[in-house]
Amino acid sequence: MKNPRDILRKPVITEKSTSLSKDNKYTFIVDLKANKVEIRQAVENLFKVKVKKVNTMRVKGKIKRVRRIPGRTPDTKKAIVTLKEGDRIEIFEGI
């Protein structure tokens, strides 16, 4: 198994993701090659919680322009992790 810190890149802190935390759902940016089983194991190992369900989505990079040179932002993968009742991740509390 890969290192859990390599799988979970960073948490997503937006208005929509914080409103999902009321339903016990937390959003993370994850490695592009990570699958749902690896994401589940990484969250359970890092935060000592039980995962009920994992939903993933690929987000394609946007085309941006810097002066006259076109470029792209990188593709990313997001995971919405649903925890079992009674479990919470403390880093999202109080936001």
Side-chain angles (χ1 to χ4, degrees), residues 41-58:
Q41 291 172 350
V43 170
E44 287 178 349
N45 287 341
L46 281 177
F47 301 110
K48 308 298 185 230
V49 294
K50 291 292 181 185
V51 175
K52 184 176 178 183
K53 184 168 69 169
V54 177
N55 294 334
T56 59
M57 64 190 84
R58 300 266 318 234

Side-chain angles (χ1 to χ4, degrees), residues 25-43:
K25 295 182 180 184
Y26 299 94
T27 308
F28 296 95
I29 299 288
V30 296
D31 185 28
L32 279 173
K33 297 177 183 174
N35 58 29
K36 291 183 180 186
V37 175
E38 291 173 339
I39 295 167
R40 173 189 301 260
Q41 291 172 350
V43 170

Side-chain angles (χ1 to χ4, degrees), residues 2-91:
K2 297 178 188 175
N3 186 3
R5 295 185 190 278
D6 292 336
I7 294 172
L8 298 179
R9 298 287 169 100
K10 63 182 179 178
V12 177
I13 310 292
T14 60
E15 187 174 347
K16 187 173 184 177
S17 68
T18 53
S19 67
L20 283 175
S21 67
K22 296 174 188 169
D23 299 330
N24 245 4
K25 295 182 180 184
Y26 299 94
T27 308
F28 296 95
I29 299 288
V30 296
D31 185 28
L32 279 173
K33 297 177 183 174
N35 58 29
K36 291 183 180 186
V37 175
E38 291 173 339
I39 295 167
R40 173 189 301 260
Q41 291 172 350
V43 170
E44 287 178 349
N45 287 341
L46 281 177
F47 301 110
K48 308 298 185 230
V49 294
K50 291 292 181 185
V51 175
K52 184 176 178 183
K53 184 168 69 169
V54 177
N55 294 334
T56 59
M57 64 190 84
R58 300 266 318 234
V59 180
K60 293 198 175 206
K62 296 180 180 180
I63 296 176
K64 299 284 186 171
R65 187 170 59 93
V66 178
R67 297 189 185 186
R68 293 185 192 96
I69 302 168
R72 281 181 59 93
T73 59
D75 295 343
T76 57
K77 188 173 191 177
K78 285 199 273 188
I80 299 175
V81 178
T82 305
L83 301 181
K84 296 208 175 180
E85 292 299 320
D87 286 341
R88 294 226 170 264
I89 297 178
E90 298 299 325
I91 61 169

